Amino acid sequence: MGQDRGKYDFYIGLSLAVSSSIFIGGSFILKKKGLLRLAKKGSMRAGQGGHAYLKEWLWWAGLLSMGAGEAANFAAYAFAPATLVTPLGALSVLVSAVLSSYFLTERLNLHGKLGCLLSILGSTTMVIHAPQEEEIDSLKDMAKKLVDPGFMVFATIIIIVALIFIFVVGPRHGQTNILVYITICSVIGALSVSCVKGLGITIKEAISGKPVIRNPLAWVLLFSLIACVSTQINYLNKALDIFNTSLVTPIYYVFFTTSVLTCSAILFKEWEHMGSDDIIGTLSGFVTIIVGIFLLHAFKDVNVSLATLAVSIRKEERNGPTPNGHTSYELLHEDVTEEVEDREMGLPFDSVSRRNGTTATA
């Protein structure tokens, strides 16, 4: 019966995690649409410290969608370990990329599409090799974990890093470097997931009739979660307002997942129960995700698609390398786009640039 119950909980947690990714992926689009509408009206942007988005209904719709996703995510942590739930957040990258191509005119080039695919494959590998058992079943166990010296040191480092980025790095480089605000959201997210896991256990104990309301730890976890989530929302809004959604979503996923997995390894010590093959599989999946994010970020301004790539290959075969050693792959501007129209009519791929979220279709 215990084994059947474990499988039942596993599938509940899996379903909740998938639905969470769908809601959260959609919330990025709704929030971005709201922020863009405010920018057209001339309101002070969130990236500049403005809070006019609080009067925009689209932003609130995005917040409600994210709230639904976080609620599902919250419940998923109560049924499944963090090393299973967190990597499934990669699905929000796919949802966001698909919806942004329809509603935000933000399209991924060929490198971006491959990067998203690699991110999904890497996260799937991590899920397959992650430990399936839960490590904490009561608030008493959670209290013992929280006072562990290793976690205390980790939490202290996280708080110090977050404060440095908020008060020192953010004001200087937040407007130009996409990693600044995302780093703040991610490191704080590691602590918020720990709070969510503890509150999930609290709810399960409350349902079973235990007097958890009188337990001070339950209130500490609740107020800590509110503080962490508020900080995440604030700086995620700034990142979305300044940078391309197609970049913010996957980069945030990688940083957030890394922070959560590190926190899970230190707090719950789930990795101690993994075999060598599972450890290698998990690390391989993580590296695959990093490669995918590198493709998304490093080549975001390369104007290339399958159609332009085919044209450049034919030009290479016909003309050979240029005298300076460069190939025609680098010549992916208006002349290539015109040749695509003349010779490749009917192909469904456009020549698209992702700089500033604008398309460059001919």
Side-chain angles (χ1 to χ4, degrees):
M1 291 294 293
Q3 186 176 5
D4 293 338
R5 180 64 182 177
K7 291 182 179 180
Y8 182 69
D9 288 348
F10 173 83
Y11 288 116
I12 290 178
L14 180 63
S15 301
L16 289 170
V18 172
S19 62
S20 170
S21 295
I22 295 174
F23 280 112
I24 292 176
S27 73
F28 282 103
I29 308 304
L30 292 172
K31 283 186 174 183
K32 184 69 174 184
K33 288 284 288 186
L35 294 173
L36 289 175
R37 288 181 60 175
L38 288 173
K40 290 181 180 179
K41 295 178 182 178
S43 302
M44 180 177 290
R45 306 184 64 165
Q48 299 171 343
H51 295 87
Y53 56 82
L54 295 175
K55 300 179 181 180
E56 176 58 52
W57 71 269
L58 268 176
W59 184 88
W60 281 105
L63 183 63
L64 291 176
S65 179
M66 176 168 283
E70 292 295 345
N73 196 54
F74 181 98
Y77 281 107
F79 291 95
T83 45
L84 170 67
V85 177
T86 304
L88 288 178
L91 294 177
S92 66
V93 178
L94 178 61
V95 172
S96 180
V98 172
L99 293 180
S100 65
S101 67
Y102 284 98
F103 299 108
L104 297 180
T105 65
E106 296 180 2
R107 293 198 176 188
L108 298 175
N109 59 14
L110 184 59
H111 294 95
K113 293 174 182 177
L114 291 175
C116 280
L117 177 61
L118 288 175
S119 297
I120 298 298
L121 292 176
S123 63
T124 302
T125 303
M126 293 183 70
V127 169
I128 292 173
H129 292 281
Q132 301 300 316
E133 72 275 1
E134 290 195 52
E135 293 297 319
I136 299 178
D137 296 321
S138 67
L139 279 178
K140 184 178 180 180
D141 294 337
M142 186 71 180
K144 292 179 180 179
K145 295 286 187 181
L146 290 175
V147 297
D148 182 80
F151 178 74
M152 294 292 290
V153 172
F154 173 79
T156 302
I157 293 175
I158 286 293
I159 294 174
I160 292 175
V161 169
L163 291 176
I164 291 175
F165 270 75
I166 290 173
F167 294 107
V168 179
V169 181
R172 297 179 181 178
H173 307 290
Q175 299 287 328
T176 56
N177 193 323
I178 192 174
L179 301 181
V180 174
Y181 293 144
I182 291 179
T183 298
I184 296 173
C185 296
S186 301
V187 296
I188 295 297
L191 299 180
S192 67
V193 167
S194 301
C195 296
V196 167
K197 183 72 173 179
L199 288 174
I201 295 172
T202 302
I203 293 174
K204 292 177 71 174
E205 287 194 341
I207 294 175
S208 64
K210 296 181 180 180
V212 294
I213 297 180
R214 300 177 182 178
N215 193 325
L217 179 60
W219 295 102
V220 170
L221 292 172
L222 177 60
F223 289 118
S224 298
L225 178 63
I226 293 174
C228 291
V229 171
S230 300
T231 304
Q232 287 180 267
I233 290 175
N234 181 43
Y235 286 97
L236 184 58
N237 275 333
K238 292 184 177 183
L240 285 171
D241 185 45
I242 299 171
F243 304 103
N244 193 310
T245 308
S246 300
L247 293 176
V248 172
T249 306
I251 294 175
Y252 175 60
Y253 162 75
V254 169
F255 277 54
F256 177 75
T257 302
T258 303
S259 299
V260 171
L261 292 179
T262 303
C263 181
S264 178
I266 296 173
L267 179 60
F268 305 132
K269 296 179 173 60
E270 294 174 341
W271 287 47
E272 292 183 357
H273 303 278
M274 297 174 64
S276 58
D277 55 338
D278 287 330
I279 293 177
I280 294 174
T282 301
L283 294 177
S284 298
F286 177 73
V287 172
T288 302
I289 294 175
I290 295 299
V291 172
I293 295 304
F294 175 77
L295 288 175
L296 278 167
H297 188 56
F299 301 102
K300 63 181 183 297
D301 293 327
V302 177
N303 191 14
V304 60
S305 66
L306 288 177
T308 56
L309 184 61
V311 171
S312 65
I313 291 175
R314 286 200 301 273
K315 292 176 89 174
E316 184 73 23
E317 293 176 350
R318 184 174 64 251
N319 301 328
T322 57
N324 59 4
H326 295 292
T327 64
S328 58
Y329 176 79
E330 301 173 359
L331 306 176
L332 298 173
H333 300 290
E334 294 182 359
D335 57 333
V336 177
T337 305
E338 292 173 359
E339 185 168 350
V340 170
E341 290 184 343
D342 295 336
R343 302 191 179 188
E344 302 293 328
M345 293 299 292
L347 284 177
F349 301 95
D350 292 325
S351 175
V352 179
S353 173
R354 294 195 297 157
R355 177 176 297 176
N356 298 325
T358 59
T359 58
T361 54

